[in-house]
Every structure is written in structure tokens, then in C-alpha cells.
């Protein structure tokens, strides 16, 4: 049977006439026991929510209504009204009515705007109209909502537990974490009427939910009804600022990067309820230092916290910037960024990384060096300029001798502090063999150049080396000399004829 057919049957004229004919005798209690209302943005103080019709069939003498939520009351004419402006209610309200001759319970279900009543059993809860008997619950303990950070005075009434069988000769008893378990004494219940009170300020970030149990006992302490569960939820208040906990925040982006390149992500934490706007964060850049070449070099996604570049690649040029380091003051604001939101800030440091877009160049085309023959060691330092970052391989130079060193008499190494090329003689030079040497030196970087940059003529240089002659001593041939003679040779005998030459063949010298 579908729902539409049931409604067409129960509410057809024939059935309604039959019901009226059979309902000549009064049925004590609420004339409708279940209500569905759509939750408004706020229940306004003193404004009618709905009307509850109760009749004990004997004049309603000494009629009294009790509502499970202390923010509402039912007037004698059955009107349910709010005692103040209320935005948080929960899923249901229970109204208990009692007169001298009858008592009954009505349920009011509060639906979200997009919530469906749909299920057949929910619709058939209208048992007061459809004649379906309903099962009574002895103890009705509806969930209680309490805002955190409430101010004194305490204790403060927050809810009510209702017993449909009455409270004469019995009393209510509350137990659980927050009552007789740590943290003790936060909640208590009026033993006689079921009023639930909170005794001090609550902190949702410490404990968000309490699961208590309530039961009805007789005067000797024996359980009569229950226990049933009583849920108490702490409503979040915006009492925590967003915090950046993972700093320091340092990001890198390569110079010349395309517009929209992601640099880094900033993520703040808010201890408030993540399901509410109290922890709904929005990000914003408050300040950029320095402000050149553009005061808006970067943009932050307000929802994700991603920082991206927004300037053209040409402006993202490390060599033309005032500084390759930018500091951004980032603000995180809760309440979705609304003016009433709480804020937290952090500093993001962004470094513009160098890429090898400048080739090293010699400071002059030709270098001169003079070295004495027979000497080794550094004879000249070759200087270069490079506009790239000195801390990177895009700046560090690598030198090589590409011509003029067939005998491997020379070597060149890089000075790591100055980036100069240290040209050394590693094999002694001979003036008499060659008084002049011409070397062709090339300089490159440790890292390769970017594709659209190449090494040019300025990346090579010539070194003219002059070898100075030194007055070298004569050399004996052979050395050492071995001589054997018989003993007792005559005085004046020739023992040995020695042979020596002077290496300075270009000088006119005599040997004695």
C-alpha cells in the first residue's frame, strides 16, 4: 500500500463522516499526538509555534503542561510558544499534559528544510487521528543542547525529563560521566520534577558530548523505570582563533615561472566545531614585503590556502628584483571570512630560486702571466662575472684548457670562495725549449644553461705566459762517475776526464 492511497482512504469524505459519527463520545488526551514542523532559522520569542488540543472530557480542571525543552512553554489554551529567541532546539520536543482526570503525551518532530517525512511508519505516527494505538514510554528524556561558555549564575535549568506515569512516590536519579563520574558534578537533576541543570560553564573543545542515564526509583532506591539514555550536546561558540601550527612556512618558486604556479600551501587549525562556520576558514594576504616589482606578486586561494604567482614570468626575474626573498603576512579568519570572525596570522617566506639563465663571462679577453723556468704553482687567477645566484651551481664556474697544453704542463682549478680560475704550472717549464706559451681557457657552470641561453665568446679567454730564464748550474755527464785504478800508480797519472755542460745554451758562458 503506498502512502498516497492511505491518505486518500483515511481522509476521504466517507471515512471522515464515519469517524465523526463514531466519535460522539469524547476520547481523553491530546486530539493529535504527533506533529511535524519545519525548523525555522530561529524560533521567535512569544510567537505561536503550533496549537496542541488537549481534552480530558471533564472540563480540563487543573490542567498543566510540561515541555521537554525549558526554552518553550505551553499556555492553557494549548499554544506552544518560545520563551526567548531560540536557534538550537534538537530533533524533537515532548509535551506532557496532566489534569485531574487524564494525562497524555504529544511529540513534536522538528525537520530540516530539506528533510523528507516520506516513510510510511512516520506518517502513520499520526495515530491520534488514524485510530492506531501507540505505545507509551514511561520516561521521556529528549536530547539537551547547551551552549558552551555560558556565564553565571549557576545552576542553570537546561532541560527536563518527563515520566508519563507521574512522579508521586518516586524520584528521578541521574548518573554517568559529568554526574557521578569524572568530571563530577557538572549536571544534576531535581529528584521530584525531573528538571535537569548545569552547574558550571562548559567547554566544547574539552568535552563535546555527555551520555548520561536517567531512571526513576522508589523512596527505597529501587529502580521503577529505566534507565534510559539522556544525551547532552555542547553547542559550539566561536571562542577559538585560527592558529598556524606548522611553521616556519617557507616556499620556493623558480624565477620565470608561469603565472599561476603554485608556491606553497598555508593551513591553519581552528579548535571550534568543524561542522559549523566557527571553524570555516578563509585566507587572505595582508601584506607583501618588498612591494617591487609589483605589490601583488602572489595570490592565496581563500578556501584552500594555496599561494600562487600572479605576475608575468618576465617580472619574476631574480636578477632584476630588489630582493629574491618575499615575506607575506597571511591571515586566516573563521566564520567564513565574515567581519565578525576571529583571526590568526602567520608569515610565509617565499624564495625566488635561480635558474641558469646567465652564462659566466671573463672580465677581460686576455690575461698575462710570467713564470720562472723550473718553478711550479699558481701563476695567475682568472676572473669571471656571473649574474646568477652565488649559492647555486648556476653561478659556480668550471674551467678547462681547450688549447695550448700538449705536454700537460698546466692545470686550472676553481677557487670555491671567489669563483676565480687558478691557473697552475704542474710540470717545470724549460726556457731553452720554449720561452712563451699561449693557452685558450673556457669557463662553464656546474649546472647546464637553460635551453634558450648559450655560452658566447666572452666565455673564453687567452692566457699569455712568459717563461723567464734562470742561470742554471752546469751538469756532469754521467753523474755519478765510477773510476777503477791499480794501486801505486805514478804521481801525475790521469785518473779521470770529466764532462760537464751548461743548460743555458742561449747564454755565452764558460765552464771551469
Amino acid at each position: 500500500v503506498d502512502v498516497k492511497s492511505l491518505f486518500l482512504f483515511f481522509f476521504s469524505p466517507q471515512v471522515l463522516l464515519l469517524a465523526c459519527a463514531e466519535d460522539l463520545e469524547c476520547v481523553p488526551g491530546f486530539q493529535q499526538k504527533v506533529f511535524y514542523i519545519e525548523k525555522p532559522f530561529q524560533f521567535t520569542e512569544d510567537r505561536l509555534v503550533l496549537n496542541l488540543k488537549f481534552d480530558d472530557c471533564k472540563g480540563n480542571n487543573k490542567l498543566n503542561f510540561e515541555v521537554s525543552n525549558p526554552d518553550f512553554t505551553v499556555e492553557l489554551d494549548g499554544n506552544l510558544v518560545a520563551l526567548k529567541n531560540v536557534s538550537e532546539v534538537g530533533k524533537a520536543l515532548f509535551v506532557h499534559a496532566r489534569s485531574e482526570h487524564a494525562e497524555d503525551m504529544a511529540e513534536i518532530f522538528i525537520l530540516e528544510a530539506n528533510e523528507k517525512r516520506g516513510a510510511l511508519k512516520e506518517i502513520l505516527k499520526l495515530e491520534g487521528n488514524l485510530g492506531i494505538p501507540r505505545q507509551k514510554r514511561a520516561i521521556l528524556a529528549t536530547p539537551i543542547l547547551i551552549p558552551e561558555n555560558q556565564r553565571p549564575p549557576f545552576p542553570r535549568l537546561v532541560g527536563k525529563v518527563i515520566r508519563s506515569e507521574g512522579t508521586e512516590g518516586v524520584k528521578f536519579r541521574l548518573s554517568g560521566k559529568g554526574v557521578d563520574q569524572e568530571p563530577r558534578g557538572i549536571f544534576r537533576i531535581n529528584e521530584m520534577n525531573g528538571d535537569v541543570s548545569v552547574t558550571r560553564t562548559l567547554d566544547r573543545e574539552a568535552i563535546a558530548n555527555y551520555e548520561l542515564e536517567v531512571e526513576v526509583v522508589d523512596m527505597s532506591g529501587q529502580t521503577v523505570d529505566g534507565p534510559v539514555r539522556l544525551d547532552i550536546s555542547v553547542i559550539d561558540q566561536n571562542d577559538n582563533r585560527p592558529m598556524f601550527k606548522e611553521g616556519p612556512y617557507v616556499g620556493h618558486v623558480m624565477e620565470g615561472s608561469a603565472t599561476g604556479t603554485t608556491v606553497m600551501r598555508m593551513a591553519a587549525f581552528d579548535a571550534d566545531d568543524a561542522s559549523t562556520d566557527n571553524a570555516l576558514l578563509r585566507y587572505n594576504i595582508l601584506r607583501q614585503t618588498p612591494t617591487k616589482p609589483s605589490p601583488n606578486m602572489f595570490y592565496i586561494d581563500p578556501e584552500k590556502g594555496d599561494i600562487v604567482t600572479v605576475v608575468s614570468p618576465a617580472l619574476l626575474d631574480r636578477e632584476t628584483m630588489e630582493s629574491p626573498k618575499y615575506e607575506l603576512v597571511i591571515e586566516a579568519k573563521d566564520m567564513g571570512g565574515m567581519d565578525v570572525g576571529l583571526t590568526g596570522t602567520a608569515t610565509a617566506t617565499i624564495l625566488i630560486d635561480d635558474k641558469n639563465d646567465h652564462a659566466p663571462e671573463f672580465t677581460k679577453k686576455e690575461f698575462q702571466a710570467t713564470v720562472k723556468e723550473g718553478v711550479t704553482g699558481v701563476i695567475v687567477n682568472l676572473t669571471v662575472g656571473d649574474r646568477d645566484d652565488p649559492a647555486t651551481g648556476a653561478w659556480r664556474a668550471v674551467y678547462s684548457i681547450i688549447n695550448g697544453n700538449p705536454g700537460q704542463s698546466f692545470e686550472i682549478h676553481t677557487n670555491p670562495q671567489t669563483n676565480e680560475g687558478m691557473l697552475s704550472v704542474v710540470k717545470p717549464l724549460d726556457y731553452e725549449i720554449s720561452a712563451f706559451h699561449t693557452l685558450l681557457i673556457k669557463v662553464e657552470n656546474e649546472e647546464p644553461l637553460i635551453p634558450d641561453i648559450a655560452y658566447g665568446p666572452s666565455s673564453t679567454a687567452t692566457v699569455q705566459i712568459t717563461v723567464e730564464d734562470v742561470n742554471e748550474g752546469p751538469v756532469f755527464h754521467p753523474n755519478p762517475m765510477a773510476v777503477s785504478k791499480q794501486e801505486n800508480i805514478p804521481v801525475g797519472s790521469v785518473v779521470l776526464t770529466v764532462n760537464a755542460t751548461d743548460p743555458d745554451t742561449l747564454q755565452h758562458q764558460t765552464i771551469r
Side-chain angles (χ1 to χ4, degrees):
V1 180
D2 59 47
V3 175
K4 182 177 179 182
S5 300
L6 280 174
F7 269 97
L8 289 176
F9 171 76
F10 281 115
F11 295 105
S12 64
Q14 294 86 349
V15 174
L16 290 176
L17 288 173
L18 179 61
C20 292
E22 293 179 348
D23 198 25
L24 294 178
E25 294 185 2
C26 179
V27 178
F30 283 106
Q31 303 305 296
Q32 180 175 330
K33 301 184 187 301
V34 180
F35 296 84
Y36 294 90
I37 60 175
E38 187 174 296
K39 178 183 178 182
F41 175 75
Q42 185 180 71
F43 290 93
T44 307
E45 180 180 356
D46 293 334
R47 181 171 296 180
L48 175 66
V49 177
L50 54 82
N51 182 262
L52 305 160
K53 295 186 181 298
F54 178 88
D55 190 354
D56 68 356
C57 304
K58 293 188 179 181
N60 287 349
N61 292 328
K62 296 183 180 180
L63 177 59
N64 177 57
F65 293 99
E66 291 180 310
V67 187
S68 60
N69 190 315
D71 292 333
F72 294 84
T73 187
V74 177
E75 298 172 342
L76 288 178
D77 57 2
N79 288 336
L80 175 68
V81 297
L83 296 174
K84 60 180 182 180
N85 293 341
V86 183
S87 58
E88 296 291 344
V89 176
K91 290 292 185 181
L93 295 174
F94 295 91
V95 179
H96 184 216
R98 180 187 289 115
S99 70
E100 285 185 332
H101 304 286
E103 64 176 304
D104 200 4
M105 191 77 65
E107 297 174 280
I108 304 162
F109 292 95
I110 302 170
L111 307 177
E112 298 292 341
N114 59 351
E115 192 172 353
K116 304 296 184 183
R117 303 185 193 179
L120 176 61
K121 64 179 182 179
E122 290 294 328
I123 294 176
L124 293 184
K125 276 188 176 182
L126 298 171
E127 61 266 47
N129 289 331
L130 303 181
I132 300 175
R134 73 191 277 272
Q135 182 179 1
K136 290 187 177 181
R137 286 171 285 181
I139 302 175
L140 293 177
T142 59
I144 296 174
L145 304 177
I146 307 174
E148 66 173 334
N149 304 322
Q150 285 184 318
R151 296 179 179 178
F154 290 104
R156 184 189 294 267
L157 180 64
V158 293
K160 188 176 186 65
V161 177
I162 299 173
R163 182 173 187 257
S164 60
E165 304 295 334
T167 59
E168 185 175 352
V170 296
K171 57 184 179 181
F172 293 96
R173 183 163 63 193
L174 193 62
S175 61
K177 180 179 178 180
V179 182
D180 54 356
Q181 300 174 23
E182 293 297 337
R184 297 173 181 269
I186 297 178
F187 304 101
R188 65 190 187 193
I189 191 169
N190 186 307
E191 295 181 343
M192 305 310 296
N193 60 22
D195 287 344
V196 179
S197 301
V198 64
T199 63
R200 59 179 182 259
T201 300
L202 302 181
D203 182 4
R204 190 203 68 87
E205 285 69 48
I207 302 178
N209 297 283
Y210 297 86
E211 295 182 3
L212 308 180
E213 287 189 343
V214 61
E215 57 185 339
V216 174
V217 299
D218 58 24
M219 294 305 172
S220 65
Q222 296 297 315
T223 301
V224 176
D225 288 319
V228 299
R229 182 165 143 178
L230 173 61
D231 291 322
I232 298 180
S233 299
V234 184
I235 303 172
D236 187 45
Q237 303 293 312
N238 194 18
D239 58 345
N240 288 278
R241 292 182 177 276
M243 297 179 63
F244 291 90
K245 293 185 173 182
E246 299 177 0
Y249 296 90
V250 180
H252 295 261
V253 62
M254 188 70 69
E255 65 172 330
S257 295
T259 303
T261 299
T262 299
V263 181
M264 60 191 299
R265 170 170 287 188
M266 299 291 288
F269 168 77
D270 195 310
D272 290 317
D273 188 351
S275 66
T276 70
D277 285 354
N278 295 337
L280 181 61
L281 303 184
R282 292 293 181 265
Y283 298 93
N284 181 44
I285 298 176
L286 294 181
R287 185 169 64 255
Q288 170 192 303
T289 306
T291 59
K292 295 178 180 180
S294 168
N296 299 302
M297 299 283 291
F298 307 95
Y299 166 81
I300 188 167
D301 186 303
E303 297 184 7
K304 297 179 181 179
D306 290 338
I307 298 176
V308 299
T309 63
V310 292
V311 294
S312 66
L315 287 181
L316 207 62
D317 184 357
R318 189 182 187 282
E319 286 71 41
T320 62
M321 288 177 170
E322 178 180 318
S323 170
K325 180 172 73 173
Y326 288 84
E327 290 189 347
L328 307 180
V329 178
I330 307 298
E331 176 190 70
K333 181 181 286 189
D334 59 24
M335 296 301 292
M338 296 177 61
D339 291 341
V340 297
L342 301 178
T343 62
T345 60
T347 298
T349 301
I350 298 177
L351 301 175
I352 310 302
D353 291 338
D354 188 42
K355 63 181 179 181
N356 199 6
D357 56 350
H358 295 90
E361 298 180 346
F362 283 101
T363 57
K364 52 187 178 180
K365 290 297 297 179
E366 185 175 291
F367 295 85
Q368 304 290 333
T370 300
V371 58
K372 292 182 179 181
E373 64 174 332
V375 176
T376 59
V378 177
I379 59 174
V380 66
N381 290 322
L382 311 180
T383 54
V384 296
D386 195 317
R387 296 167 60 191
D388 291 313
D389 183 3
T392 67
W395 176 81
R396 290 189 289 271
V398 178
Y399 297 88
S400 57
I401 303 172
I402 59 177
N403 195 18
N405 191 29
Q408 304 301 310
S409 297
F410 303 94
E411 286 184 359
I412 188 166
H413 300 280
T414 304
N415 185 322
Q417 280 72 43
T418 64
N419 217 29
E420 294 177 342
M422 300 182 296
L423 181 62
S424 303
V425 176
V426 293
K427 292 182 180 180
L429 302 177
D430 190 340
Y431 172 82
E432 283 68 34
I433 295 176
S434 177
F436 299 95
H437 295 269
T438 300
L439 303 181
L440 185 61
I441 309 296
K442 181 180 181 180
V443 64
E444 298 176 314
N445 289 131
E446 286 185 1
E447 293 182 1
L449 295 172
I450 62 175
D452 54 342
I453 301 294
Y455 294 104
S458 297
S459 297
T460 58
T462 301
V463 182
Q464 299 290 347
I465 302 169
T466 300
V467 182
E468 293 182 345
D469 189 24
V470 174
N471 188 14
E472 300 166 273
V475 178
F476 282 95
H477 304 284
N479 184 18
M481 301 176 187
V483 180
S484 286
K485 292 292 182 182
Q486 293 290 334
E487 62 180 339
N488 300 319
I489 62 174
V491 174
S493 300
V494 175
V495 177
L496 171 71
T497 299
V498 297
N499 182 33
T501 61
D502 194 321
D504 298 313
T505 58
L506 301 181
Q507 298 182 20
H508 297 291
Q509 300 188 84
T510 59
I511 296 176
R512 296 182 64 83

